[in-house]
Structures are given as C-alpha cells and as structure tokens.
Amino acid sequence: MCEDWSEFRGSERYRVLPGLRSSLIKGTDSQPGPAMGRPRRGGPGAGQLLRWAVLQAAWAAAMGQVRYSVAEEAEAGTVVGRLAQELGVAAAELVSRPLRVVPEGGGGSLEVNAQSGALVVRSRLDREALCGPSPRCALELEVVVGKPPRLFHVEVEIQDVNDNAPLFPAEKKNLSIAESRVPGSRFPLEGASDADIGTNSQLRYTLSANEHFALELQNSKEQRNSLALLLKKPLDREEAAEHRLLLTATDGGKPELTGTAQLVISVLDANDNAPVCDQPVYEVRLFENAPIGTLVIKLNATDSDEGMNKDISFSFSNTFTPSFRNMFKIDPDRGEVRLKGELDFENVSLYEIRIDATDRGALPLTGHCTLVVEVLDVNDNAPELRVTSLSVPVPEDAPPGTVVAVISVSDRDSGANGRVSCSIGAELPFRLVGTFKNSQALVLSEAVDRERVAEYEVVVRARDGGAPSLWASSRLVVPLSDVNDNAPAFAQAVYTVFVRENSPAGAPLVRVSAWDPDAGANGRVSYGAVERRVGERPLSSYVWVQAESGSICALQPLDYEEVQVLQFEVSARDGGLPSLSGQASVQVFVVDANDNAPVVSPWGRGLGPAWEAVSLSAGAGQVVGKVQAVDADSGYNAWLRYEVQDPLSAGPFRVGVYSGEISTSRALEEADGPVRSLVIVVRDHGEPALSASATVSLSLVESVRAVAWESGPGGGSGGAAVDSNVSLLIAIWSVSGLLVVVIAAWVGVRCCGGPAEACGSGEGPAVCSSGGGSWSSSQQQRQSRLVCVGEGGAKRDLMVFSPVVPSSADNWAAEKQQDATPNPCGTVSGVLL
C-alpha cells in the first residue's frame, strides 16, 4: 500500500483502486449511488454485492475506505458526501483537524469544504475523459485528517449521463455503385460510436426516405453489430447519377441524442442506353444547284451514359442505297452531312436517309434517325417541244379551226419553272390552242391561199415561268396543197394580130398564153377556140388552136376581100376536177395584099372604046370626060392613078392623075380633030402595082350637045365624075390628117404612161401610111376597127392601111425574137404584127 501511496503522491492524479479495476475487467457492473454522495450499500446482483462487501470489508479493515458516487457533469459545489461526518470528525474539530485531499490542488475535480467537511465537486467531471469506454468509472481519493494525522481512502464513483451524441467516423461517406448491380446487393457501412456507456451507448440507425436503399443491421458471432446498405431497386444513372442519403444514429439515453452522416452514392455508368438523336426525323431543303461540299445538316445525338459509353459515331445505315452514298458523305465524329455529288431535281426530288448513331461502349448500342433531303427545283431546264402529229400539206380551202399540228410541250422543272407558255408570230394565219395539260394544237385562224403563199414557216416558241426564264423553239414547215380555185387567166383580154392576106395555110397567126396559179393538173392549161360561124362557114375552117402551146394557126389563106376582120374567142381550161376556164378575144385583121388589078367600069353596051363628043370651042381646062375604075383591094392597093399611055398622042387633052377626068390643056383647034383616041392607063399603088387600061375616043364637033356615056353603074356626065373624084381625094386627105393627129396624141399618152395602157398589155395596132398620107376608097367602103378592153371601157382607133407593107419574113423574124417558142404552124408569110 505504501508503494501505491507514493505513486499517488508523486503523479498528483487520481487513480482507480486496483481492486476496482480488477472488478471492471471482469465485467462487474455497479450502479451509481445517490447524487449526494451517500455510501453505496449494495449492488443489484447478489454475487456482485457479496464480492463488493468482501472487498469493502477488507479495504475498510486495512485502510478505513469510504465510498461515494456522483453523476458526471455535476455542477461545481455539488456535495458528493459528508466526509467529516463519515470519518467521525465533528464540525468543531475541523478547524483544528482540517480535512484535505491528497494531493491537494493538482487540478483535482473534488475538494473538501473547510467549513462543513463535505466532499464537493470542484470542477466539471467528465466520465469519458476520466475512464474512457470503461463500464465503471471511480476516483480513488486519500483524505488526511490532521492532529493526529490519519489517512482514509475515499472512492468516488462517477455515474454516466447521456452527454455524448453518437459520432460517425466521417460526416460524409462516398460510395460508388454500378447501375448494373442487382437488387439485394449489400454494401457495408461503418457505424457510429457513442462515448457513453450502457443504455446511453446503445444505438439504432435510420436512413432518410428513398426508393432504392435500406439499412440492414446484422449480428455477428462476436456479438458485434454489422451495418450494411441494402439495394432494393435497380439504379439508373441516367435517371439519377447521384443519391444523397442521411444516415442517423440515435442512442438510448434520455433524452436521446443523435448523430448523422451523409451518404453520397455515385452511380457508376453501364452502357445501357443507346444514343438518341435530337430529332427522329431531320428535314432539310436544298436547291438542286447547291455546290459539292455544301453542309446539309449537322446531326446531334446524346447518350445518357458517360465516358466511352457516351461517345457517339455517326454513319449511314446499311439500307442506304449505293447511289445515295455517291450523293452524300458524313463525318462520323462531327455528324456533319455534306454534299458529295450533284443534285438533280428532275432525277430525284427527295432523299430519305437512315442514319445510325453508335456509342463506343464495350457492347455498343445504336440509335437511329432519318434525314429527309428535299431537293428544290431551280430553272435549269429549258422547255422541250415535240411535234407529235403533223397534218401536211394543208388544203388551201381548209376552213379556220383545222388542226395542222399537235405539239407536245414539256419542262422537267416544276412549279413556275415548269409552267410553259407558247406563242407564234402574229402575222401568221395560225393560232395555238391548248388541248391537254402539256399539248398545244396549231390550228388555222383564217383562210389561206396557196397562190399567194405556198408554204408557211411557223416558229413555235415556248417560254417557262422561271426567273430568268428559259425558252426553246421549234420550226414547222406547213405547205399548202392546191385546190382548183383559180381559173386560167390570159395575159391579155384581147389579142390583136394583123395577117397579110393570101398567107399560106398553116401560118401562125398569134400565140395566146394563159396562166393558172394552181399547181399540178389544176394549173395545167389547154387551149381551144370557141366555135362560131364566120359568115356561112364555121370558125374551125379558118383557124386551129394548138391545145398545149396556145398557138393559133390559119388553116387556109385568108382573103381580105372575103374577110377583113376575123374575131373569135379562145378558151383556156385547166385540168382540175371540176375544171375551170377563162376566155380571151382574138381579133385577126387581114391586111390587104395587092392581088386585084384595077377594073375600069364599063360604059355603053360593050367593052370597046368609049366615045365622047367634044366641042371645038372648049377652052383650056374644060373637062370633056372621065374614066372611072375600081379596085377590089383597099388602102394604097385601091388608090388608083390615071395617066395617058402615050402623052404625045394625047394632043390638047390630059387626064387627072387621081380623078380620071379628061380635060383640055389648051384651047382646041381644028387641026386637033376630027377624032383623037386616048389610051388611059389606070394603076394602083400596090407593090407591085397592077394596072388596067381603057381607050377613050374624042370626037371634035362644031356644036356642043349632051352625050350620054354608056358606062354602066359608074357612068354619068363629066361633071358628076369630077365631083366623085374630088370627093374621094378630100376624104383621103381628111382621114390622113386625122390619122396624124391621133398618132401624135397616142404617142404622147404612151410616153407619159397615161390611159393608153387601159387597152391591155398588148401594143396598139400598127398604122401604115403612104408618102401621100392618104388612102383611096374602093368599090365598097370598108372600115377597120380595133376593140380595146381595159379599165376605161372600149375605144375605137382609126387605122390607115398602107399598101407599102414590110415583108412577111421580116415581121416573122421580129416575132421570133420576142417569142422563142418554135412555130408549130409551119412557114410564115404575109403577116403584119
């Protein structure tokens, strides 16, 4: 004991008695006594009380030990026990015999009150600090009573109170659990500790409300509690990547104290989610002229997983056709889809592309989306024209509205770019009529005339509605087929020709020409004369018209004295069905030839010489008789000239050159008689000139008496003959003067292009005159007339026929130069043109 005391004094700290420590090690449990420090009289268990009593008795016998109990955390001044009273020290003795705890001071928690001798609490008592986790905690004190000093052992048991809350090793506990763990999995947790003992240290645990976890408390074989976290429901990192739970530990004290720890559960990812595109269907519009390399779209997909499980690679689906692959390419990392080829709206207007988004997990998952690329049309195709039906040639009598051609119009573009309008020239007799959606009919809009325009060139222009618009054209040649709608038309309405009489049979008179603007047989013209009678004979006995060439030939020599003007109609008929015809007038003027010699009119009863009685008293210039002759010819061929065949034998008589009057050239004498015979020669002016002669016998008598000439129809007195010849000369000269005036006027009109052209396209009649500028009348007075047809109506021109006629060969040569057509009628002679 002395050893224990010295150790106590030297360390200046409280010690637990060895016997008490032994009882604690063995598990002896004792309950604290009253708070006022009453000595403990027994314990709860019989065995424990027995052992305790034995120990106390032994201690008391040896040392005089006193035991007290006090609750920890008692306030300063709390009386633990009346130590002086227990030791038998009266209050009055405390002054002389003070009580003190050994060692004094030293920071002790208990002390003895000097006045009352009570053991009181000096400073805070902390059972956990003094005894730690021991079930029983007691302080052993040595109390010295002075004079005489005595040493007492005092034991103060510190009773536990619930002054310590449960305490976890860390305020925050991090756990990592894979989302692939199945329900029922356990995850051990480190429980809390409580510095108190007994019931105050008995803990129960609770977990904040959640649907995934629960607490499981297991008892091990060593009677130790094992705390675990139990997984009730599968985790989903994509739904909640982290769970924060509050673990609460509650002790059994009263009042209860709690301690908490936060459980931070991180859910580890498993590749259980496939990538998901932002949109299930991406719709993009691109113009077909978008250049190669144009960004079509940038795809975006997300994966709820993390790490490699969320890294996404894009690719075209295996269902993507190779032709589409040539049009697009995709960046697997960026998800950019770009043009690889040239778009063509007319070939493909819509692309539907399946795209796969695949993560890079150990077992990769794939998401899908669709890219729809709509190709927008641009005006890159010109309209197309195609003639599907062409009905040519078109009859020229086709009515308006006749369909000529059907034109198919198309444009591979769409919308306004493919809306086509067609047009043709405004001056054409056609118009376009829409028949179907993409068809135009070219129809006649007005009557057409092949003779005016035989063929039309129609250019159909098609223009679309794009901006800028594109156009195309198609050229159609529309020929017109002929119908027999035109009658042959002669170049002249009246053909005038002069033919020398006695021309040989077969001599061509004139060639008529008619033109028919129709084609083929409709324009093939044949000629013929319109039959009529000329006098007592038919026209066909005089002339013949060649059907193919239109040449008119004389079938017999023409006799001027029989027919002076041969006028007839020539028809021209085409070969159409039915045929059409036209007519022209032909006037054949027979030019007189000097084929008749003058004929002296007979007088008396015979053809012998004529006798005339002449008075010897007749003076110079007195008409004593007249010779009268006629010529069947006309013009100069009928213009007669009288002369004495032998002028020397005429003596005092002479003959009027144109009158045929026999007159005296001087006064008569008896030497001139009694009888004078004159041979009178009558000549015409023809070439060659023809003549006749008559013998006139003049008997010179003394007295004058009337003598009647027996000269037939032309007979009469000398005065009457003179009057007749004078009248003839006056008429010839008058007509010649009028002819000169008419020729001058006609030349003037022709030179100025005036109304003279109204007589048709042919030249006017040729006018011939002799040197004397006159003509003479024959037995029958004849007139020549020319009928002109034109705008101004019919005219009459005076023609004078001259016996001086150019040779027929010269005239025919001139005609040959004007018309190179061979003469079908044979040799030409005696024709004046």
Side-chain angles (χ1 to χ4, degrees):
M1 292 298 295
C2 295
E3 180 180 359
D4 293 335
W5 170 258
S6 61
E7 182 180 358
F8 175 80
R9 294 178 61 87
S11 62
E12 297 184 353
R13 64 184 178 89
Y14 298 113
R15 289 175 57 90
V16 179
L17 296 179
L20 182 58
R21 179 178 299 153
S22 174
S23 64
L24 289 176
I25 293 175
K26 292 179 180 180
T28 302
D29 190 9
S30 62
Q31 297 295 331
M36 294 300 294
R38 292 179 182 179
R40 184 171 180 177
R41 301 301 180 183
Q48 293 178 352
L49 290 177
L50 180 60
R51 287 194 296 271
W52 179 258
V54 172
L55 290 173
Q56 289 288 349
W59 177 265
M63 300 295 294
Q65 185 175 6
V66 179
R67 296 182 178 85
Y68 295 103
S69 65
V70 64
E72 67 172 328
E73 305 294 340
E75 295 180 358
T78 300
V79 177
V80 179
R82 299 185 182 277
L83 183 58
Q85 185 178 355
E86 292 292 340
L87 296 178
V89 179
E93 295 178 355
L94 291 177
V95 177
S96 59
R97 298 180 66 186
L99 296 177
R100 58 184 180 88
V101 177
V102 180
E104 295 183 4
S109 298
L110 300 175
E111 64 180 0
V112 177
N113 189 295
Q115 287 77 20
S116 63
L119 183 64
V120 298
V121 176
R122 179 184 178 188
S123 61
R124 172 179 177 271
L125 293 174
D126 187 0
R127 194 196 71 81
E128 289 75 27
L130 295 175
C131 301
S134 298
R136 185 174 182 279
C137 181
L139 295 179
E140 294 180 353
L141 302 177
E142 291 182 351
V143 179
V144 177
V145 179
K147 297 180 179 179
R150 289 183 61 186
L151 181 63
F152 294 92
H153 295 276
V154 178
E155 181 180 283
V156 180
E157 182 181 0
I158 307 300
Q159 296 179 348
D160 182 52
V161 296
N162 194 22
D163 62 343
N164 290 281
L167 182 64
F168 286 93
E171 295 181 357
K172 184 176 181 181
K173 174 67 173 178
N174 294 319
L175 296 176
S176 295
I177 302 176
E179 63 177 332
S180 59
R181 296 296 292 269
V182 296
S185 298
R186 291 176 174 79
F187 308 95
L189 297 176
E190 188 175 358
S193 61
D194 195 325
D196 296 327
I197 60 173
T199 304
N200 294 334
S201 64
Q202 293 179 357
L203 303 179
R204 71 177 186 274
Y205 295 91
T206 58
L207 191 64
S208 58
N210 71 97
E211 59 180 346
H212 292 281
F213 297 96
L215 287 176
E216 185 179 59
L217 189 63
Q218 294 178 341
N219 294 322
S220 62
K221 294 179 181 181
E222 291 80 8
Q223 300 298 321
R224 294 180 181 177
N225 293 333
S226 177
L227 185 64
L229 190 65
L230 178 65
L231 180 63
K232 298 189 302 180
K233 181 181 178 180
L235 297 175
D236 187 355
R237 192 201 65 82
E238 291 70 37
E239 180 181 346
E242 184 180 81
H243 296 270
R244 289 182 176 268
L245 304 178
L246 186 64
L247 179 61
T248 303
T250 305
D251 58 21
K254 291 185 179 181
E256 298 175 342
L257 297 179
T258 60
T260 59
Q262 188 178 31
L263 300 181
V264 179
I265 303 171
S266 298
V267 182
L268 300 179
D269 182 55
N271 193 21
D272 57 346
N273 291 279
V276 178
C277 296
D278 289 350
Q279 299 175 229
V281 178
Y282 294 89
E283 295 182 355
V284 179
R285 293 183 176 182
L286 286 179
F287 286 101
E288 62 176 325
N289 60 350
I292 295 176
T294 299
L295 177 64
V296 178
I297 194 172
K298 188 179 188 306
L299 302 172
N300 187 28
T302 58
D303 194 322
S304 301
D305 300 325
E306 64 180 2
M308 295 295 292
N309 297 330
K310 72 179 301 182
D311 290 342
I312 300 173
S313 174
F314 296 92
S315 64
F316 292 129
S317 173
N318 293 331
T319 60
F320 196 38
T321 61
S323 59
F324 286 12
R325 291 181 184 273
N326 295 331
M327 297 299 300
F328 302 94
K329 62 180 179 179
I330 188 170
D331 188 323
D333 298 324
R334 297 181 180 180
E336 295 179 349
V337 179
R338 295 183 179 272
L339 271 182
K340 183 180 178 183
E342 294 182 353
L343 298 175
D344 189 354
F345 171 83
E346 290 68 38
N347 290 335
V348 180
S349 61
L350 187 71
Y351 292 90
E352 187 171 341
I353 307 168
R354 291 289 300 276
I355 295 177
D356 295 340
T358 306
D359 59 29
R360 291 186 170 89
L363 297 175
L365 300 177
T366 301
H368 307 281
C369 59
T370 302
L371 172 62
V372 178
V373 180
E374 180 182 358
V375 182
L376 301 180
D377 181 49
V378 296
N379 195 21
D380 60 343
N381 290 279
E384 296 178 359
L385 298 175
R386 184 168 55 91
V387 179
T388 58
S389 176
L390 181 63
S391 300
V392 292
V394 178
E396 62 176 328
D397 61 346
T402 300
V403 177
V404 177
V406 177
I407 304 170
S408 175
V409 182
S410 62
D411 194 316
R412 298 180 64 193
D413 297 322
S414 65
N417 297 332
R419 194 176 301 117
V420 181
S421 59
C422 298
S423 63
I424 59 175
E427 64 280 355
L428 296 174
F430 302 97
R431 62 188 175 94
L432 289 173
V433 177
T435 56
F436 299 102
K437 179 179 180 181
N438 294 320
S439 182
Q440 296 280 333
L442 181 68
V443 300
L444 277 176
S445 60
E446 59 186 56
V448 293
D449 186 2
R450 191 202 67 82
E451 289 71 40
R452 184 172 61 89
V453 179
E455 184 178 87
Y456 289 93
E457 181 176 327
V458 182
V459 178
V460 181
R461 292 180 174 85
R463 186 181 299 275
D464 60 28
S469 61
L470 301 178
W471 62 274
S473 63
S474 179
R475 175 180 173 271
L476 300 178
V477 176
V478 182
L480 302 181
S481 62
D482 183 59
V483 295
N484 194 24
D485 59 344
N486 292 279
F490 283 92
Q492 300 174 213
V494 178
Y495 289 85
T496 301
V497 62
F498 299 91
V499 180
R500 194 181 295 275
E501 71 171 328
N502 299 324
S503 297
L509 301 180
V510 69
R511 181 182 177 185
V512 296
S513 176
W515 178 70
D516 192 325
D518 295 327
N522 297 331
R524 191 178 301 115
V525 179
S526 61
Y527 303 91
V530 180
E531 187 62 47
R532 60 178 289 267
R533 298 192 69 82
V534 180
E536 298 297 329
R537 301 170 60 182
L539 177 65
S540 59
S541 64
Y542 285 95
V543 295
W544 170 70
V545 179
Q546 190 176 31
E548 291 77 14
S549 64
S551 295
I552 303 175
C553 302
L555 295 178
Q556 63 180 15
L558 299 178
D559 187 0
Y560 174 81
E561 288 71 32
E562 180 183 352
V563 178
Q564 289 79 39
V565 179
L566 184 61
Q567 184 171 350
F568 57 91
E569 302 294 326
V570 177
S571 68
R573 186 174 299 274
D574 59 29
L577 290 175
S579 63
L580 302 178
S581 63
Q583 291 185 348
S585 295
V586 178
Q587 293 178 342
V588 180
F589 289 91
V590 181
V591 179
D592 182 50
N594 196 21
D595 58 347
N596 292 282
V599 176
V600 179
S601 299
W603 61 87
R605 294 184 179 177
L607 298 176
W611 289 89
E612 184 71 26
V614 181
S615 177
L616 290 174
S617 62
Q622 183 177 348
V623 177
V624 297
K626 182 177 179 179
V627 177
Q628 187 172 1
V630 295
D631 195 320
D633 298 322
S634 64
Y636 284 95
N637 295 329
W639 189 13
L640 302 181
R641 178 184 180 88
Y642 299 87
E643 61 184 17
V644 179
Q645 184 177 15
D646 186 5
L648 295 179
S649 63
F653 297 98
R654 60 182 180 184
V655 177
V657 177
Y658 298 109
S659 64
E661 293 178 344
I662 302 173
S663 61
T664 58
S665 60
R666 57 178 175 79
L668 297 178
E669 299 175 355
E670 292 184 357
D672 296 329
V675 177
R676 180 75 62 169
S677 295
L678 302 177
V679 179
I680 306 299
V681 178
V682 182
R683 301 179 185 275
D684 58 26
H685 284 74
E687 291 184 2
L690 301 179
S691 64
S693 63
T695 300
V696 179
S697 296
L698 298 175
S699 176
L700 280 66
V701 296
E702 290 293 338
S703 60
V704 179
R705 54 192 178 121
V707 180
W709 290 47
E710 298 178 3
S711 57
S717 64
V722 171
D723 292 339
S724 176
N725 286 327
V726 170
S727 298
L728 180 60
L729 290 175
I730 291 174
I732 291 174
W733 286 104
S734 298
V735 172
S736 299
L738 181 60
L739 176 62
V740 171
V741 173
V742 171
I743 291 174
W746 181 79
V747 171
V749 172
R750 293 287 291 180
C751 291
C752 64
E757 297 179 358
C759 291
S761 59
E763 296 181 356
V767 179
C768 304
S769 64
S770 66
S774 64
W775 64 356
S776 102
S777 174
S778 64
Q779 179 179 346
Q780 300 177 357
Q781 298 294 328
R782 296 176 175 87
Q783 294 180 352
S784 177
R785 60 188 178 275
L786 174 63
V787 180
C788 297
V789 179
E791 297 177 358
K795 293 185 179 180
R796 293 179 180 272
D797 291 337
L798 180 63
M799 297 190 307
V800 178
F801 300 107
S802 173
V804 182
V805 180
S807 65
S808 60
D810 296 337
N811 285 292
W812 182 248
E815 184 180 2
K816 290 284 285 183
Q817 293 178 359
Q818 297 177 2
D819 190 355
T821 305
N823 177 21
C825 300
T827 307
V828 180
S829 63
V831 179
L832 286 177
L833 297 179

